[in-house]
Amino acid sequence: MTSKSTTTNEYENYYVPAQSHWPIVGAIALFLIAVGAGNYVANIDTDEGIGGWVLIAGIVMIIWMVVGWFGNVIDESMEGRYSKQMDASFRQGMSWFIFSEVMFFAAFFGALLYARVFSVPWLGGDGNNLETFQVLWPEFQAAWPLTKTPDGTTTEAMGWGGLPLYNTIILLASSVTAHFAHVALEQNNRGALKAWLGLTILLGLGFLVLQVEEYIHAYSAMGLTLASGIYGNTFYMLTGFHGMHVTLGTIMLIVMFFRVLKGHFSPDNHFAFQAASWYWHFVDVVWVLLFFFVYVL
Amino acid sequence: MTTATDTIADVHDHGDDHHDHKMTGIKRWILTTNHKDIGTLYLWFSFIMLLTGGAMAMVIRAELFQPGLQIVEPDFFNQMTTVHGLIMVFGAIMPAFTGLANWMLPMMIGAPDMALPRLNNWSFWILPFAFGILLSSLFMEGGGPNFGWTFYAPLSTTYSNGSTAFFVFAVHIMGISSIMGAINIVVTIMNLRAPGMTYMKMPLFVWTFFITAYLLIAVMPVLAGTVTMVLTDTYFGTSFFDAAGGGDPVMFQHIFWFFGHPEVYIMILPAFGIVSTTIPAFTRKKLFGYSSMVYATSSIAFLSFIVWAHHMFTTGMPLAGELFFMYCTMLIAVPTGVKVFNWVATMWQGSMTFETPMLFSIAFVILFTIGGFSGLMLAMTPVDFQYHDTYFVVAHFHYVLVTGSLFSIYAAAYYWLPKWTGNMYSEKLGKFHFWCSLISVNILFFPMHFLGLAGMPRRIPDYALQFADFNKWVSIGGFLFGLSQLIFLYVVIKCIKSGEKAPAKPWDGAEGLEWTVPSPAPYHTFSTPPKVD
């Protein structure tokens, strides 16, 4: 990054890239994903159609786009084309993106809290719903976790001890190690940076392995599935979307690890690392909320 | 009013040619990272969508011309009302505003471009694909979405046809587009303002888009969550909106309207910004009460998050909830009243002229206020029990969205066409477009108030005989209004092809950095930022 001493310098170097073909590649990829997924889901009972293959083609294409697009950005950054102002744009952009992710989870937390506070007690006759209760499902017992739905689907509730508790400890620890990696980067201690970042990735992978194990156990031994009424719905949607975000965050961290190995990032210029680290802290915070509202309470 | 010229114009158009290698033909438009190109794409796309959604409205009005079923099947009628709504909201109004933001924001704040130009291209180009998917679902077996643009469960889950998955994924893509576009707007405004342009010196147009972008980032993800739950309820056996599994169809309405109410302000706040630009320009006065406008806009944005359940008064809610949402909704009339007062006060004793943008702006102030007042009527819980789901509601939201948002977009288009194309539009034709639109739109929507008060339900292809006369007039107004919009297309094409050359500043009362650059605006403006005092 070139820096001149004039005060207007930060305004003069704002980099406006020339034409790029990556956005249209990404647009076509999203189109394939939407059409493929739509076709796949619409034929989910019959196993017909080529939706699955179109979906896979779209995913491959979007991976190609991300690699190419971010590759361009990394090259431009390494060539020193980005000013402080550009860096601020990236930082602000990433912050607001994470905020939008928070709101996505808010929708599902909202559904969970609505079910727990309103819909399940109301089905049990709470408030002014006694008649509805008596007419519709008089056998129904309002409770949370809802292990027996009004129409009689039964399941088991997932306790918070064991795997979920281990996962909480793992993810909290990984947030700490991610922070240490960041501190090491700012102190230009590359050895410690690699060690802490590597450890963070291992913890992230460990979390994912345990979560897969938890899912297998829930499906095979407990009969807790996505279709097990509102308890299973909120359980799998929240932990599932969280797991997807952990997967994405782990991939980001792995990319950062290889960039660190290549000698990228300096103590005062490491937006990408910071973004991955912010993202990681975000999935950690979501997990803590999850742990309390889905598992413990 | 093509008298005023501006000599600052030639100061800024040097030094811009060093990377002015724009491509030609279709590749220019597909690969572009230029905010003006992308703005143009958004604006043309939204106009095509306006005509598409308008054509569907024509089908609806043709069917409702007479009582009885004569032209379309009820199921197809439902698909028309649904897709008309989706296209007008997500395809016409929102992209038109994003297009205006793309074109004008960087020029108004003295920025070289949007903050994230490649992301900007992506935000646009995923939209045509999303609407391609949505429209193609109309031709699928079983037809397109038929559950209303609000896709209430269980209509969209238990009772939906086979194309719901395509609807869901199309909405996901529209949401991605809106969120990325909004992030770009926020970052551009926060980070790329010219030195000296503090927040309270920004044009009000910039302020309203700034606040709107925050609303988008906050609520579009909630919409994504809602459609995801609809998807899993329909195809994966979940029961978020099914009481038999412990969920609640009313929960759908809560989550949807938590998105939906800020969404309707997403479609009106930028309109406030537009008329706050055009009215001072043609009144030759500063905007009255600039800072109160900023605070009023922010208050409206804040209140939009705590009024959602006024869409559900008749759905069943504890009394305390009904009262809370009723009073909060009425509270919105206060900042909105501040705005209307300020526009009128700006015009008071001004040196007014009535060019097409001003005509549309004045019509906006009056007709949007009518829409606002009918909104106030709807906000009252006890009387809403009579109005709910009638044509009164249809009249209300078309007054705020057509004579509100759409008219403001026309005002903006006429106001900035000289800057975009370098040519003046034909004032005569512009005024012709305005008067045709104004008269027909009132024939179209005003009688709907009476129909609604008399009890005609919305979204039904047939009606009782006593509604026949009003419906005939509404349909005639609708056809005339639809045809009138073709005049606009002609005006724009004529302006581009053979309009008179426009000076850098064709409106002598206009203010703002965009008028300091030549017309048409050079491909790259403000590669080095101007100084603002």
Side-chain angles (χ1 to χ4, degrees), chain B residues 44 47 51 410 414 417 421 424-433 482-499:
Chain B
W44 276 113
F47 192 68
L51 296 182
Y410 280 137
Y414 282 111
L417 260 178
T421 63
M424 292 305 289
Y425 60 87
S426 157
E427 195 62 62
K428 216 165 151 186
L429 282 171
K431 283 182 174 153
F432 183 58
H433 171 219
L483 284 175
S484 305
Q485 305 325 302
L486 298 175
I487 305 170
F488 178 69
L489 181 65
Y490 178 70
V491 174
V492 172
I493 290 171
K494 189 162 180 282
C495 169
I496 295 169
K497 294 257 183 225
S498 61

Side-chain angles (χ1 to χ4, degrees), chain A residues 14 17 23 76 85 89 119 230 233, chain B residues 33 115 118 122 191 239 244-246:
Chain A
Y14 201 85
E76 288 160 10
Q85 204 186 4
S89 290
S119 71
I230 195 72
N233 304 160
Chain B
T33 51
R118 278 177 289 223
W122 199 49
N191 202 25
S239 37

Side-chain angles (χ1 to χ4, degrees), chain A residues 11 14 17-20 23 26-27 31 39 41 44 69 76 85 89 96 100 103-104 114 119 123 150-151 227 229-230 233 237, chain B residues 21 31 33 115 118 121-122 129 166 187 191 193 214 218 221 232 235-240 243-246 248 251 254 529:
Chain A
Y11 288 99
Y14 201 85
Q19 290 83 358
S20 171
F31 174 70
N39 192 279
V41 170
I44 198 153
W69 187 333
E76 288 160 10
Q85 204 186 4
S89 290
W96 291 113
S100 77
M103 291 308 292
F104 180 74
Y114 187 94
S119 71
L123 284 168
D151 66 356
I230 195 72
N233 304 160
M237 292 297 258
Chain B
H21 46 262
L31 306 179
T33 51
R118 278 177 289 223
N121 174 309
W122 199 49
F129 289 107
F166 294 97
V187 174
N191 202 25
R193 277 169 292 129
Y214 280 118
T232 56
Y235 298 101
F236 295 97
T238 63
S239 37
F240 284 105
D248 188 350
M251 178 167 84
H254 279 291

Side-chain angles (χ1 to χ4, degrees), chain B residues 297-512:
Chain B
T297 314
S298 316
S299 313
I300 295 172
F302 169 74
L303 287 172
S304 75
F305 285 102
I306 51 168
V307 296
W308 76 87
H310 66 213
H311 297 267
M312 318 161 42
F313 282 146
T314 63
T315 308
M317 214 189 320
L319 182 65
E322 306 231 321
L323 290 175
F324 173 81
F325 287 108
M326 174 172 85
Y327 287 123
C328 283
T329 305
M330 289 183 159
L331 213 53
I332 296 175
V334 177
T336 314
V338 169
K339 289 188 152 291
V340 174
F341 178 86
N342 285 352
W343 291 321
V344 176
T346 306
M347 289 189 262
W348 180 253
Q349 293 196 330
S351 170
M352 287 165 74
T353 48
F354 299 93
E355 288 82 0
T356 313
M358 185 58 166
L359 290 175
F360 272 107
S361 304
I362 295 173
F364 168 92
V365 174
I366 296 165
L367 298 177
F368 169 76
T369 305
I370 292 179
F373 278 136
S374 59
L376 213 48
M377 292 168 73
L378 286 160
M380 290 183 264
T381 309
V383 290
D384 181 66
F385 275 66
Q386 183 190 344
Y387 306 151
H388 187 88
D389 254 346
T390 68
Y391 259 80
F392 192 81
V393 178
V394 180
H396 158 68
F397 69 72
H398 281 97
Y399 262 89
V400 290
L401 284 176
V402 179
T403 58
S405 309
L406 184 64
F407 271 30
S408 81
I409 292 165
Y410 280 137
Y414 282 111
Y415 184 64
W416 282 303
L417 260 178
K419 183 56 62 188
W420 298 338
T421 63
N423 298 333
M424 292 305 289
Y425 60 87
S426 157
E427 195 62 62
K428 216 165 151 186
L429 282 171
K431 283 182 174 153
F432 183 58
H433 171 219
F434 169 76
W435 288 109
C436 287
S437 298
L438 182 78
I439 294 165
S440 58
V441 86
N442 281 294
I443 300 173
L444 165 58
F445 293 125
F446 207 81
M448 287 185 183
H449 290 113
F450 308 130
L451 285 170
L453 291 176
M456 178 172 162
R458 62 192 282 212
R459 291 172 170 161
I460 308 285
D462 190 7
Y463 50 82
L465 288 177
Q466 69 267 30
F467 303 131
D469 288 351
F470 274 138
N471 268 295
K472 190 174 69 190
W473 282 108
V474 166
S475 286
I476 290 169
F479 300 140
L480 290 176
F481 185 70
L483 284 175
S484 305
Q485 305 325 302
L486 298 175
I487 305 170
F488 178 69
L489 181 65
Y490 178 70
V491 174
V492 172
I493 290 171
K494 189 162 180 282
C495 169
I496 295 169
K497 294 257 183 225
S498 61
E500 206 182 306
K501 265 320 276 134
K505 195 175 112 168
W507 319 115
D508 55 17
E511 285 194 26

Side-chain angles (χ1 to χ4, degrees), chain B residues 10-87:
Chain B
D10 48 358
V11 179
H12 288 288
D13 65 339
H14 60 82
D16 292 324
D17 44 5
H18 57 277
H19 55 154
D20 198 358
H21 46 262
K22 68 178 171 207
M23 292 183 174
T24 46
I26 187 89
K27 268 179 113 177
R28 166 184 170 191
W29 299 104
I30 290 177
L31 306 179
T32 186
T33 51
N34 181 286
H35 71 101
K36 299 184 182 82
D37 283 352
I38 295 171
T40 306
L41 285 168
Y42 265 114
L43 289 170
W44 276 113
F45 175 75
S46 71
F47 192 68
I48 293 167
M49 283 295 117
L50 180 80
L51 296 182
T52 312
M56 292 172 185
M58 297 300 107
V59 174
I60 295 168
R61 284 324 314 175
E63 173 59 47
L64 293 174
F65 189 76
Q66 286 182 335
L69 297 174
Q70 41 266 321
I71 298 173
V72 292
E73 292 291 311
D75 184 56
F76 188 72
F77 183 88
N78 289 344
Q79 293 174 34
M80 287 292 103
T81 54
T82 305
V83 183
H84 164 76
L86 289 168
I87 283 191

Side-chain angles (χ1 to χ4, degrees), chain A residues 2 4 7 19 40 49 63 69 72 92 127 146 152 163 173 182 199 202 210 229 240 247 252 256 258 264 270 282-283:
Chain A
T2 55
K4 283 178 254 163
T7 47
Q19 290 83 358
Y40 175 74
I63 291 171
W69 187 333
N72 274 3
Q92 288 167 1
L146 186 71
L163 286 183
H182 190 207
L199 187 57
L202 289 179
L210 288 189
T247 311
M252 284 187 197
M256 293 311 126
F258 282 106
H264 292 193
H270 51 262
F282 151 70
V283 296

